[in-house]
C-alpha cells in the first residue's frame, strides 16, 4: 500500500507580533492528534542567531531545551505540551542555521562553482529541512516566526510559497493569524489591518486558505464575512480565536469555531471524530478547582518577564490540575529580598506570609543570589515546601553549607572565582570552553535515585532521565562534609560523579534538582515532582489554616473566659473559673 503523503500547514502572522501563533499551532496540532493523526510542528525563525541559547531572556523569553540538547524557541514548549510526541533539534531552525549550512556547503565546493543565492540555495535548504521533518507524519505544521512584511522573513515566505507546487496543491494549506483590534471609543472592531496584512501576504504570492482572528472581543458574523470577502477566503474559513482565561481551553475554543473541521476538509483527510475528553477534563478543573487556590512564591531575577519561566509556570499549573487546585504564582525580585534581609525593620515572614511554597528557578549570574539564599534559609527554617531548580539547587547547597556545615564563606565559582569554599564549581569539561553557544551540559541525561528517598518515592522508580542546561555542579570534595551535616544527595548520575538531586529529611518538602523537570511536564501528564510539590503546598496551606483556626478558637476562648471572669467578679464567683 502506498504511504499517505504528508500534508503541510504553514502558519504566518500579521499586523503585530506576540499574537500567540505558537499556541495556535500547538492547539491545531492537539486537535488533529485527537482525530488520530500523527502530527509534528516546526518553528522557522527568520533571525540570524544560530539558536536562542545565547540570547538574553529580555530578548527572547525562555530557552526551551529538547531531549537531544537543542536550545530552542519557547514555542517548542507549547508544541510538546499540546502534542504527545517529543520535539528535537529538527523542530526549530533559524535563518542563522540555514545560512551557516549554505555557507559551509559553498566552502566545501558543493555548488560546483555556481553563484550562491537566496533563491534557490537558501530557499532549498529551508524546504529540505521541512521535508525531512515531515517524513513519518501525517501532518507537519510550520510556524513562520515574525510578522508578514519583515524583510528577514522573505526567504522563508518564498520557500513555503514554492512548497505548494513542489509537493502538490492538495497537500499544503496556508493559515494566516491576524489581530482584529477593538476600538473602545467607537465600540467597533476593525478589519482593515487584517485586509492589509493579507494583501502583504498575497504580494509575495501566498493566498491564505484560512484566516484566524485574534481578538479581545467576540468578532461578529458581519465582520467575519467582510474579511472573507475582502481577503478572498471562504466564509466558514474565518475562525475566531478570542482571548481565553487559560491556554488549555484554546483547542476547545478553536474546535467550536470549526478550525480542525475546515482544515481536514480542505486537505481532504478523513479522520475519526476528535476525542476532546482530556481537554474538557482540564477545563472542568479550571472552572471549579475543588481544592481552591494555592500561592507559590517564585524568587528570581526576571520577575517582570514571566515569559522567561514559561515552562515552569505551566508545570506548576499542571501540578494543580492533578491536585484539583489552581496555582497562583507570586513573583519576588531576589534583589528586593536582599534589601529586606538587610533592613532590620522588615522581615521575610511578612514578605512570604501569603505564600504556600517557595521556588527558586534556574538562572545565571551573581545578581540577586543573596536574596535567593535568604529565601531558601527562610523556607528551610520554617518548614515551607521548597523546590530549587538548577541554580535553585546550587543556591540551596550554598545556604546549607554556610548555615549548617560551618562553611560561612561557601559560594559558587560562578559568582566568586576565588571562593575559599567553592561548594559549587565549574564542571571539568566546561573549563576549556570558550564558545558560549550550545556548549553547556544540555539535554537528557540519566539520574539514579536513592532507594527510600523522597524523590525515589515521588517518581516511583530508581532511574529517571531529565533535561539539563548548566555549566556548574556540586563540588564533590564537599559532599562528605555536607552529608555529615544532614544534606541528602538523593540523586546522582549513574557513575555517582554528578549530584542531580538534594533533599532534607527533617523538613516537610525540601528538594533541589540540577535538571529542569518543567521541560517534561504536560497538562495531560503532569510531572510527578510538580504534582508532589503542589500537594505539599496544599498541605502547608491547610495546616496554616488550621493553625489560624486554632488560634482564633484560642483567642475566642480567652475572650470568653475574660468575659466570664468579669461577669463572675460581679457576682463574686471568679474563683470557680480556672
Ligand atoms: N548558572 C548555573 C549553571 O550554569 C545554573 C544554570 C541554570 O539554572 N539553568 O550551572
Amino acid at each position: 500500500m502506498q504511504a499517505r503523503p504528508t500534508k503541510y500547514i504553514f502558519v504566518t502572522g500579521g499586523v503585530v507580533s506576540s499574537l500567540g501563533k505558537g499556541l495556535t499551532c500547538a492547539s491545531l496540532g492537539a486537535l488533529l492528534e485527537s482525530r488520530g493523526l500523527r502530527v509534528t510542528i516546526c518553528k522557522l525563525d527568520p533571525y540570524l542567531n544560530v539558536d536562542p541559547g545565547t540570547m538574553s531572556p529580555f530578548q527572547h523569553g525562555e530557552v526551551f531545551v529538547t531531549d537531544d540538547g537543542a536550545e530552542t524557541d519557547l514555542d517548542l514548549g507549547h508544541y510538546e505540551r499540546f502534542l504527545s510526541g517529543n520535539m528535537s533539534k529538527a523542530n526549530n531552525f533559524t535563518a542563522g542555521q540555514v545560512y551557516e549550512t549554505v555557507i559551509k556547503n559553498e566552502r566545501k565546493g558543493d555548488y560546483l562553482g555556481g553563484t550562491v543565492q537566496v533563491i534557490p540555495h537558501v530557499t532549498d535548504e529551508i524546504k529540505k529541512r521541512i521535508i525531512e521533518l515531515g517524513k513519518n507524519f501525517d501532518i507537519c505544521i510550520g510556524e513562520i516566526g515574525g510578522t508578514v512584511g519583515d524583510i528577514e522573513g522573505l526567504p522563508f515566505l518564498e520557500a513555503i510559497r514554492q512548497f505548494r507546487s513542489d509537493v502538490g496543491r492538495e497537500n499544503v494549506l496556508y493559515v494566516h493569524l491576524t489581530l482584529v483590534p477593538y476600538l473602545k471609543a467607537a465600540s467597533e472592531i476593525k478589519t482593515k489591518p487584517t485586509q492589509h496584512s493579507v494583501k502583504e501576504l498575497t504580494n509575495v504570492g501566498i493566498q491564505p486558505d484560512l484566516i484566524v482572528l485574534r481578538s479581545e472581543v467576540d468578532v461578529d458574523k458581519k465582520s467575519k464575512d467582510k474579511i472573507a470577502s475582502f481577503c478572498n477566503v471562504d466564509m466558514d474559513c474565518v475562525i475566531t480565536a478570542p482571548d481565553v482565561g487559560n491556554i488549555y481551553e484554546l483547542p476547545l475554543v478553536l474546535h467550536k469555531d470549526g478550525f480542525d473541521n475546515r482544515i481536514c476538509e480542505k486537505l481532504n483527510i478523513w479522520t475519526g471524530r476528535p476525542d476532546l475528553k482530556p481537554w474538557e477534563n482540564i477545563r472542568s478543573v479550571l472552572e471549579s478547582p475543588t481544592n481552591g487556590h494555592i500561592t507559590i512564591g517564585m524568587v528570581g531575577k526576571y520577575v517582570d518577564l514571566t515569559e522567561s519561566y514559561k515552562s515552569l509556570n505551566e508545570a506548576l499549573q499542571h501540578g494543580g490540575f492533578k491536585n484539583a487546585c489552581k496555582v497562583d504564582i507570586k513573583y519576588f525580585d531576589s534583589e528586593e529580598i536582599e534589601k529586606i534581609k538587610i533592613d532590620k525593620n522588615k522581615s521575610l515572614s511578612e514578605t512570604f506570609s501569603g505564600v504556600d511554597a517557595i521556588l527558586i528557578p534556574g538562572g545565571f549570574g551573581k545578581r540577586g543570589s543573596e536574596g535567593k539564599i535568604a529565601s531558601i534559609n527562610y523556607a528551610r527554617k520554617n518548614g515551607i515546601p521548597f523546590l530549587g531548580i538548577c541554580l535553585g539547587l546550587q543556591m540551596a547547597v550554598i545556604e546549607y553549607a554556610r548555615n549548617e556545615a560551618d562553611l560561612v564563606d561557601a559560594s559558587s565559582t560562578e559568582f566568586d572565582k576565588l571562593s575559599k569554599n567553592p561548594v559549587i564549581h565549574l564542571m571539568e569539561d566546561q573549563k576549556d570552553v570558550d564558545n558560549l553557544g550550545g556548549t553547556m551540559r544540555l539535554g537528557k541525561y540519566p539520574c539514579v535515585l536513592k532507594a527510600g528517598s523522597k524523590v525515589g518515592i515521588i517518581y516511583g522508580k530508581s532511574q529517571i532521565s531529565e533535561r539539563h542546561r548548566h555549566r556548574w555542579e556540586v563540588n564533590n570534595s564537599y559532599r562528605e562534609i555536607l552529608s555529615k551535616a544532614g544534606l541528602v544527595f538523593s540523586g546522582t548520575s549513574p557513575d555517582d560523579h554528578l549530584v542531580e538531586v538534594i533533599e532534607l529529611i527533617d523538613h516537610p518538602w525540601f528538594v533541589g534538582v540540577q535538571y529542569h523537570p518543567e521541560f517534561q511536564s504536560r497538562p495531560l501528564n503532569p510531572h510527578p515532582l510538580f504534582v508532589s510539590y503542589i500537594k505539599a503546598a496544599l498541605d502547608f496551606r491547610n495546616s496554616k489554616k488550621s493553625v489560624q483556626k486554632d488560634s482564633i478558637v484560642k483567642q475566642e476562648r480567652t475572650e470568653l473566659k475574660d468575659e466570664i471572669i468579669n461577669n463572675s467578679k460581679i457576682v463574686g464567683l471568679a474563683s470557680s473559673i480556672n
Side-chain angles (χ1 to χ4, degrees):
M1 203 177 72
Q2 212 188 339
R4 267 191 301 190
T6 307
K7 307 263 181 182
Y8 299 86
I9 304 166
F10 292 110
V11 180
T12 51
V15 182
V16 291
S17 59
S18 308
L19 277 181
K21 243 183 303 151
L23 277 171
T24 306
C25 291
S27 301
L28 175 60
L31 288 172
L32 296 173
E33 264 200 354
S34 78
R35 292 167 171 262
L37 296 166
R38 295 164 308 156
V39 183
T40 191
I41 314 181
C42 185
K43 174 85 191 265
L44 288 66
D45 273 315
Y47 55 71
L48 286 176
N49 301 63
V50 171
D51 63 40
T54 52
M55 281 161 133
S56 139
F58 289 101
Q59 288 276 320
H60 195 273
E62 171 184 270
V63 173
F64 186 79
V65 179
T66 55
D67 278 350
D68 60 355
E71 295 177 286
T72 69
D73 189 86
L74 60 76
D75 278 324
L76 268 79
H78 292 312
Y79 305 165
E80 273 201 1
R81 288 187 281 273
F82 283 77
L83 293 183
S84 56
N86 282 356
M87 298 293 118
S88 73
K89 270 189 176 75
N91 293 81
N92 181 201
F93 62 86
T94 66
Q97 280 171 35
V98 171
Y99 280 96
E100 195 183 38
T101 307
V102 170
I103 290 167
K104 263 190 198 143
N105 292 345
E106 184 271 337
R107 291 290 82 186
K108 275 193 282 166
D110 285 358
Y111 301 118
L112 302 172
T115 308
V116 181
Q117 294 179 298
V118 171
I119 305 167
H121 302 101
V122 169
T123 45
D124 279 355
E125 178 60 30
I126 294 171
K127 290 192 289 181
K128 195 172 123 197
R129 286 171 182 244
I130 301 169
I131 292 279
E132 201 51 45
L133 177 70
K135 282 179 187 165
N136 304 320
F137 289 96
D138 300 314
I139 307 275
C140 175
I141 301 173
E143 176 191 347
I144 319 298
T147 308
V148 167
D150 296 345
I151 291 177
E152 58 184 15
L154 286 174
F156 287 85
L157 294 180
E158 172 59 14
I160 63 166
R161 184 197 68 76
Q162 292 174 8
F163 215 89
R164 196 173 227 175
S165 41
D166 289 3
V167 302
R169 187 149 277 281
E170 67 289 3
N171 295 326
V172 175
L173 273 191
Y174 299 109
V175 176
H176 191 51
L177 182 71
T178 70
L179 175 74
V180 179
Y182 173 71
L183 292 191
K184 242 198 210 135
S187 308
E188 242 185 321
I189 53 169
K190 290 290 174 192
T191 63
K192 191 75 86 191
T194 299
Q195 297 175 41
H196 280 295
S197 171
V198 170
K199 191 165 166 233
E200 192 77 40
L201 200 55
T202 50
N203 276 348
V204 294
I206 297 173
Q207 164 65 50
D209 300 288
L210 287 99
I211 297 177
V212 180
L213 307 175
R214 285 286 293 110
S215 169
E216 270 175 55
V217 294
D218 215 21
V219 184
D220 56 279
K221 170 100 175 53
K222 211 172 114 219
S223 307
K224 282 170 96 170
D225 289 351
K226 188 170 164 190
I227 289 173
S229 153
F230 288 175
C231 299
N232 230 357
V233 300
D234 295 339
M235 295 277 184
D236 59 359
C237 285
V238 181
I239 310 290
T240 324
D243 287 351
V244 282
N246 189 288
I247 56 169
Y248 301 115
E249 289 172 35
L250 197 54
L252 299 173
V253 170
L254 292 172
H255 174 71
K256 205 168 147 219
D257 214 17
F259 194 28
D260 48 320
N261 269 333
R262 296 294 89 74
I263 296 262
C264 290
E265 281 164 19
K266 292 248 160 213
L267 285 174
N268 201 14
I269 347 180
W270 294 91
T271 72
R273 289 173 73 82
D275 172 15
L276 297 173
K277 196 94 204 104
W279 299 102
E280 281 158 7
N281 290 343
I282 289 184
R283 179 159 68 185
S284 60
V285 175
L286 288 166
E287 276 167 2
S288 48
T290 41
N291 287 326
H293 286 237
I294 54 140
T295 305
I296 302 292
M298 197 189 293
V299 184
K301 223 167 40 171
Y302 308 115
V303 286
D304 301 326
L305 219 71
T306 50
E307 289 288 284
S308 324
Y309 305 123
K310 192 89 216 156
S311 295
L312 189 48
N313 298 346
E314 295 308 319
L316 291 166
Q317 305 300 335
H318 306 162
F321 298 160
K322 257 279 176 11
N323 284 290
C325 70
K326 270 193 101 168
V327 178
D328 302 323
I329 304 171
K330 199 168 169 192
Y331 297 94
F332 294 91
D333 182 341
S334 43
E335 285 183 290
E336 289 304 313
I337 304 269
E338 273 170 22
K339 288 183 204 151
I340 293 169
K341 185 79 188 146
I342 300 166
D343 189 339
K344 289 276 171 288
N345 299 317
K346 291 188 181 149
S347 77
L348 284 184
S349 65
E350 218 174 277
T351 313
F352 290 131
S353 63
V355 311
D356 305 310
I358 289 179
L359 194 150
I360 310 283
F364 297 82
K366 184 179 165 72
R367 187 160 64 83
S369 58
E370 291 303 322
K372 293 175 188 171
I373 292 171
S375 309
I376 297 169
N377 181 268
Y378 185 79
R380 186 169 66 78
K381 289 275 176 63
N382 293 283
I384 302 174
F386 168 78
L387 175 61
I389 295 179
C390 203
L391 184 73
L393 166 140
Q394 298 174 357
M395 297 295 96
V397 171
I398 295 174
E399 190 281 321
Y400 206 81
R402 286 186 189 172
N403 299 308
E404 298 295 327
D406 274 343
L407 302 167
V408 284
D409 52 359
S411 188
S412 162
T413 55
E414 181 176 2
F415 317 143
D416 178 6
K417 280 206 170 67
L418 302 172
S419 168
K420 291 225 185 59
N421 282 302
V423 289
I424 305 296
H425 70 170
L426 203 57
M427 281 182 281
E428 198 49 44
D429 56 4
Q430 289 288 329
K431 291 192 173 142
D432 300 322
V433 168
D434 45 20
N435 235 345
L436 286 187
T439 50
M440 284 190 240
R441 179 171 180 254
L442 290 167
K444 225 168 179 179
Y445 285 93
C447 159
V448 177
L449 302 177
K450 231 187 207 149
S453 62
K454 188 189 283 294
V455 281
I457 294 164
I458 291 171
Y459 279 89
K461 47 186 171 184
S462 57
Q463 175 143 348
I464 56 166
S465 187
E466 292 276 8
R467 297 185 197 167
H468 298 72
R469 183 170 187 251
H470 66 120
R471 292 185 204 279
W472 277 264
E473 63 171 347
V474 173
N475 184 343
N476 284 331
S477 24
Y478 288 92
R479 257 161 86 171
E480 199 183 327
I481 167 167
L482 289 168
S483 297
K484 276 195 183 136
L487 190 63
V488 181
F489 296 102
S490 48
T492 61
S493 54
D495 63 3
D496 194 39
H497 199 79
L498 191 135
V499 171
E500 291 277 15
V501 192
I502 57 156
E503 63 184 54
L504 291 178
I505 288 172
D506 55 355
H507 188 285
W509 209 102
F510 190 104
V511 174
V513 290
Q514 185 57 73
Y515 49 81
H516 291 267
E518 68 272 25
F519 290 144
Q520 293 205 82
S521 187
R522 292 171 185 218
L524 304 181
N525 187 16
H527 193 291
L529 206 54
F530 287 98
V531 175
S532 174
Y533 176 60
I534 298 299
K535 167 84 177 46
L538 263 175
D539 291 346
F540 184 77
R541 182 202 68 186
N542 294 341
S543 71
K544 261 197 313 194
K545 271 193 187 158
S546 64
V547 169
Q548 266 168 7
K549 222 162 131 198
D550 279 358
S551 68
I552 291 171
V553 171
K554 254 191 208 145
Q555 168 89 13
E556 281 171 358
R557 284 181 66 181
T558 329
E559 282 170 13
L560 188 66
K561 205 168 143 185
D562 290 347
E563 208 177 310
I564 295 173
I565 292 174
N566 285 340
N567 289 344
S568 318
K569 270 185 191 152
I570 299 169
V571 290
L573 287 171
S575 59
S576 65
I577 313 262
N578 53 39

